[in-house]
Each structure stands twice: as structure tokens, then as C-alpha cells.
Amino acid sequence: MELIILLICGGLTIITSLLVIFARNTVHSALWMVASFFFMAVLYLLLQAEFIAILQIIVYAGAIMMFIIYAIMMLNLRQEERAPMRKTKVVGVVALLVLFLELLVVAVGRGLLAIKGPVTDQLMAKFGHIAVLSNFLFSDYVLPFELASILLTAGVVGAVILAKQKSE
Amino acid sequence: MIEFWTILIIKTLVAFAVSMLIVAYSTWIERKVLGHVQLRYGPMRVGFHGLLQPIADGVKGFFKEELIPDNADKPVFLLAPIISIGAAITLVVVIPFGDTVTIMGHKIPLYLADLDIGILFVLGISTIGSYGGMLGGWSSGNKYGVIGGLRASAQMISYELPMALAVISVVMVSGTLSLVGIVENQAGLWNVVKQPLAFFLFIICGLAEINRTPFDMPEAEAELACGFNVEYSSMKFALFFMAEYCHMFVFAAMVTTLFLGGWYGPLLPGPVWFFIKTFAIIFFCVWERSTFPRYRYDQVMELGWKVLLPAGLLNILLTGLWMLVFNI
């Protein structure tokens, strides 16, 4: 039962997140984001984290998205805009390949220097809380960690590009 | 297992039917009370003193022609009333109508769900409901609609904060976020005595959140020609209308639950007390509508940020001090 809900809501989270990026209309993409927050809240519920689930809805779906949609409505962005193809895309692809290679190297080479075995109190006492956490972050969870960092970098670069285009 | 589901389904149906009936007859109460305040009768033709008027209005809503403007963003235009009414009805789930009763050997609590985070659920879902008005206004492609939608969201953002602050001080004295727990905590003394300032704040912010006069900025008829729902017709308009009255019912139930001791009261059974208190608040909502003129938009914002928000913070500070000094 829980597995079915997990699969459905996980899938819908991914689909709605993709639609946030691919929707041409800005308000639609904001709305897909609200939907994706809702499905994420269900995932938190499945983890027995009621409080985080409702915070997800109050803070993200309620307050932050409300501000974002407010801003979009003030800007009156109803026309769909199509970005033209650019030569810089080649540079982008090369950068992507380099990042992918880096990821591959890290993923293959992971765990060589890592502390082995499960987290225990003795381990905590020996290395300290943050040391153990960062150890796991860079060994077992290195792939999600790297992916998240790439995503954040892409977001920052994208924001700079969008802002630059306007000022040219 | 089967027994559990049967009870759950019957309870859900009853709660849904009762709330829809209350929503329908809130419109009747509003029209009658407004009428008598203005020295007229209100609806008189359909049924005894217009008692069947809500049903006639519903039938009319279903049969009217439905228009969708060319300029509208169609999917969002269709979605907006659904969000509005959906969120409003979802809130009924956590309302505690009464204590546990025993019917035919089954112990049945008179609420659908006692969430640990009950009051946060109400705050969260009611914010989602305000997306309805906002998107409805934006998607109709009408400038009055857009202004109404913008006002709806700005008002929501401004008044949610002091409202949450008022709720926090209630949670502080109750020590729980569960609505059932908050009611049980008021068995001896109602929260309205313990938290008078929070009570006033909650009433004022609540009126703003459910868009009633004197805060009905999103649909100020005189300036915006009905605001966010200006392009809506037939049943879609009726859905917005129902959502508004459903929010009013939920607001009245929340005031009852948080401040007026919920189902507690002498002699009469619990649910009867609950509905007496709730209808008193609904009557209050109509009464103040016919008494106060509408605020100007900048005055609404000023009241929210410069008066209610500091008052809410002050109340939390006072509550904290009080609890510290008397060691509760």
C-alpha cells in the first residue's frame, strides 16, 4: 500500500518538476511547482514526518509560491517567449561533459578513503558528529550530493544569463 | 476493518452534507439578516419566508449558460473555482463537532480526523484556497479581475501573519496543536477569557482572510465591478460563492474551537452547543457586514502591518511573561 503511494507520488513529483521547467507560460510553471510541493508533502507524510509535510505546504506552497505568483502577475508575462538558439550552447555541452566526467571519477573512486560500516555511538565519539556526517555525504551519498551541487550551479548561471539578456 | 470503513464513510458523508447545508443556508441567513437590518424583508417568494431560496438558486446556477472569455487562460480558468471550493471543503475534515458518542455500541468521535498538527493544517489549506481567487482573477484576462486577484493575494499575505500570531498564543496556553486537544483544554475556562487580545486579532484577521466587508477588497463592487469573479458565470460563479460561505462556516467553527470552548456548555449535548456558537459567529459576520463601510485598500494594508502585526507580537510576549511569572 505504502509502496504504491510512494511510487505514484514520487513519479508525479518528478513529472510535475519537469513540467515546471518545460511549461512555456510562467504562471503555469509556477502552478506546476505548487503541485510538485504537494506531492513532496505526501512523500514526507509517508516518512511519518507530519510536521515537515505541513510546513512544506504552509511555507513553500502557501507563502513562497504566493509571492512568486504575485510577482509574475505584477510583471504581466502572459505572452509566451521563445529563446533563439545560441552558439554558446556548444560551450554548454562541453562544460556538461566535463562535469559528467568529474561525477564519474568521484562515483567510481568513492569510498576509498571512507570510514566503513554503520554509524555507531563509538564512531561518533571517535570522529565527531560532523565528521561522520560529511564522511557519509562524500562516500555513500556522493552522487545525490554532486547532482544537487550541479543543479544549484546551473540555477545560478541560468539566473545570471536571464538577467544579462535583459540588459544587453 | 469493514466496520471501520463503514463508520468512516458514513461520517464523511454526514459531515459533507451538513456543511453543504450550512453553506446553502448561510446565504439565506445573510440575505434575511441584511434585509431586516435595512428595513426590508429579504427573500419572501420561494417557500415560507424564502426558506427554499438557496435550493432555487442552486438549480438556477446549474441551468445558466456558461461563458469562457476568448482572452482567458482556459485550463487555469477552469481550475480556479475547483481549487477554491476544494480547499474550503477539505477544511471541514478537522473541525471537532463534538465529543465521542456511543451509537449502537460503537464509540464514534464526532470529528473526521484529530491531526496532531490540526491548527497548522487549517492555516496551510486556507492559504491554498486563496490561490483560487487569485488565479481566477488572473486567468480571466480582464483588468478588473487581475486587480481583484492581486488584491486577494496581497491581503492574504498581510493578514495571515497576525492570524498565525494570534493562533500561536492560543497554542501556548493549550500546549497542543491538535484542535480536539485545544477544545479539551477549555473544559474549565474558555480561551476567550485567557486570550482576549488574541480573540479580537483572530476575528479581525479572519474577516480579512474570508474576504468579508469591511475587508472585501478583492471584490469591491464599487471600484472593481466584482473583482476576481467578474468573468465567471453559472455554476463556476456559484462555486466561488459556495467557497466563500464555506470559508465563513469554517472560520466560525474555528473561532468556536479555539476561543469559545468548542462543544462545552451546560445542559444541552455537545454538538448542539457547537452549532449554537458557530451560528452566533455567522450571525456576527453578517451583522458587522451591514454595519461597517469598506476600508480603502491602503488602509487595509496599513491596519494589517502597522497595527495587527505588532499587536500579535505583543500578545505573544505578554502570554510568555504571564506563563513565566505564574509558572504554568
Side-chain angles (χ1 to χ4, degrees), chain B residues 4-327:
Chain B
F4 170 77
W5 284 107
T6 332
I7 292 178
L8 188 70
I9 288 168
I10 291 174
K11 255 165 53 171
T12 311
L13 287 177
V14 169
F16 180 74
V18 167
S19 2
M20 281 297 101
L21 202 70
I22 291 174
V23 167
Y25 277 90
S26 300
T27 67
W28 179 81
I29 293 174
E30 171 132 84
R31 293 171 73 176
K32 283 311 258 193
V33 174
L34 274 185
H36 283 281
V37 169
Q38 295 162 356
L39 299 181
R40 27 180 205 95
Y41 286 114
M44 286 297 278
R45 302 288 172 112
V46 193
F48 177 71
H49 280 260
L51 263 179
L52 296 175
Q53 188 70 44
I55 293 155
D57 284 347
V59 174
K60 188 181 87 172
F62 275 113
F63 282 105
K64 280 197 119 174
E65 189 191 352
E66 196 177 303
L67 297 168
I68 296 175
D70 272 349
N71 200 13
D73 186 330
K74 205 175 165 196
V76 182
F77 187 81
L78 298 180
L79 191 66
I82 300 174
I83 295 177
S84 225
I85 187 79
I89 294 178
T90 309
L91 288 174
V92 174
V93 168
V94 289
I95 296 176
F97 292 98
D99 211 351
T100 310
V101 292
T102 313
I103 300 171
M104 291 187 294
H106 301 290
K107 279 200 164 179
I108 299 173
L110 290 180
Y111 39 83
L112 289 176
D114 176 20
L115 304 180
D116 282 342
I117 45 162
I119 187 66
L120 290 179
F121 181 84
V122 175
L123 291 176
I125 300 297
S126 61
T127 325
I128 300 303
S130 72
Y131 273 115
M134 189 177 164
L135 293 171
W138 174 80
S139 64
S140 17
N142 176 309
K143 60 185 169 197
Y144 292 124
V146 173
I147 295 173
L150 281 175
R151 283 183 175 188
S153 52
Q155 191 169 313
M156 195 72 192
I157 292 167
S158 316
Y159 278 77
E160 203 180 12
L161 270 169
M163 188 171 195
L165 292 177
V167 168
I168 284 173
S169 48
V170 172
V171 171
M172 280 167 82
V173 294
S174 307
T176 173
L177 288 169
S178 142
L179 290 172
V180 177
I182 289 174
V183 173
E184 276 165 357
N185 203 284
Q186 300 177 69
L189 192 62
W190 293 358
N191 276 342
V192 65
V193 186
K194 292 186 207 164
Q195 289 287 344
L197 185 57
F199 178 68
F200 281 114
L201 280 175
F202 191 85
I203 293 252
I204 294 171
C205 300
L207 289 176
E209 296 262 303
I210 59 176
N211 293 334
R212 287 194 69 79
T213 330
F215 303 105
D216 59 346
M217 284 301 120
E219 46 181 320
E221 294 94 339
E223 347 166 3
L224 291 185
C226 250
F228 66 89
N229 56 27
V230 62
E231 293 288 0
Y232 281 87
S233 55
S234 87
M235 207 52 209
K236 286 204 190 58
F237 173 75
L239 283 181
F240 271 128
F241 210 67
M242 280 160 70
E244 197 167 299
Y245 283 94
C246 195
H247 269 133
M248 186 166 89
F249 166 57
V250 172
F251 164 67
M254 280 304 121
V255 174
T256 310
T257 306
L258 293 178
F259 295 99
L260 300 180
W263 62 73
Y264 286 112
L267 295 174
L268 296 169
V272 177
W273 271 112
F274 176 84
F275 282 112
I276 290 176
K277 291 169 186 172
T278 303
F279 275 108
I281 299 292
I282 290 179
F283 176 77
F284 168 80
C285 289
V286 181
W287 182 22
E288 63 84 32
R289 177 182 176 179
S290 59
T291 312
F292 294 115
R294 182 178 297 132
Y295 271 114
R296 222 170 50 217
Y297 183 61
D298 56 319
Q299 292 171 328
V300 170
M301 290 295 132
E302 223 172 88
L303 181 71
W305 290 103
K306 292 187 184 166
V307 180
L308 297 178
L309 188 64
L313 288 170
L314 180 74
N315 190 41
I316 289 185
L317 188 71
L318 289 178
T319 312
L321 277 177
W322 186 64
M323 289 172 75
L324 200 68
V325 169
F326 292 96
N327 209 2

Side-chain angles (χ1 to χ4, degrees), chain A residues 68-142:
Chain A
I68 289 179
I69 293 185
Y70 187 81
I72 294 170
M73 280 163 72
M74 287 293 262
L75 293 173
N76 196 17
L77 295 172
R78 289 202 75 177
Q79 286 77 36
E80 295 169 5
E81 288 172 18
R82 274 172 189 277
M85 281 283 282
R86 281 170 169 270
K87 285 174 194 166
T88 45
K89 276 200 173 169
V90 182
V91 183
V93 170
V94 171
L96 191 73
L97 279 176
V98 171
L99 278 172
F100 181 71
L101 271 178
E102 185 211 328
L103 203 68
L104 211 66
V105 169
V106 174
V108 170
R110 71 171 180 170
L112 290 179
L113 301 167
I115 310 162
K116 302 289 189 298
V119 186
T120 53
D121 288 345
Q122 288 85 6
L123 208 64
M124 290 269 197
K126 200 174 168 191
F127 293 98
H129 204 105
I130 297 174
V132 174
L133 186 75
S134 52
N135 178 66
F136 274 88
L137 202 59
F138 283 105
S139 60
D140 286 1
Y141 296 99
V142 69

